[in-house]
Amino acid sequence: MEVTRSNKGGLKDVFRGQMYTVKYKSINRMSWRCMKSNLLKCPGILETALDHSKHHIKTEHLITCTENIGEINVTKLLNEMLQLANEKKTG
């Protein structure tokens, strides 16, 4: 499991080739929604501890919602580029 940032600064979680965005955060756990929940109406939901140590798939993904390794890699690279650009602005 890996946590990264979205273009708008929100959290994204990568787990088993799928990407999730924060659905809600409670006192002791977080619930994550599949990134394709709006586009494909995918019901995939992941629950984790606040420190992202324990993860549990609460609702499975649709068959049409396949792993998106390419999109995950693009997101990681964009985040690295944005971080480097911000460091150059401040440094």
Side-chain angles (χ1 to χ4, degrees):
M1 180 180 325
E2 183 178 351
V3 178
T4 185
R5 294 263 176 206
S6 69
N7 293 341
K8 295 180 181 179
L11 294 176
K12 284 186 180 179
D13 196 343
V14 178
F15 182 67
R16 294 186 185 167
Q18 299 286 351
M19 207 176 308
Y20 301 85
T21 56
V22 175
K23 182 177 176 186
Y24 68 85
K25 185 176 180 180
S26 69
I27 295 171
N28 57 358
R29 65 185 172 99
M30 291 179 76
S31 182
W32 304 80
R33 178 180 293 155
C34 176
M35 271 195 50
K36 296 184 179 178
S37 62
N38 291 335
L39 179 66
L40 298 177
K41 305 295 183 212
C42 181
I45 296 176
L46 175 74
E47 288 187 344
T48 65
L50 289 178
D51 63 354
H52 312 289
S53 61
K54 299 176 184 176
H55 43 275
H56 168 70
I57 295 178
K58 187 172 180 180
T59 308
E60 292 292 331
H61 293 273
L62 293 176
I63 293 174
T64 56
C65 187
T66 58
E67 291 184 8
N68 48 4
I69 302 300
E71 186 177 344
I72 291 169
N73 290 335
V74 167
T75 301
K76 289 179 188 177
L77 290 172
L78 283 173
N79 285 331
E80 288 178 27
M81 289 173 30
L82 288 171
Q83 186 177 9
L84 288 172
N86 286 335
E87 287 175 5
K88 286 188 177 184
K89 283 182 184 178
T90 58

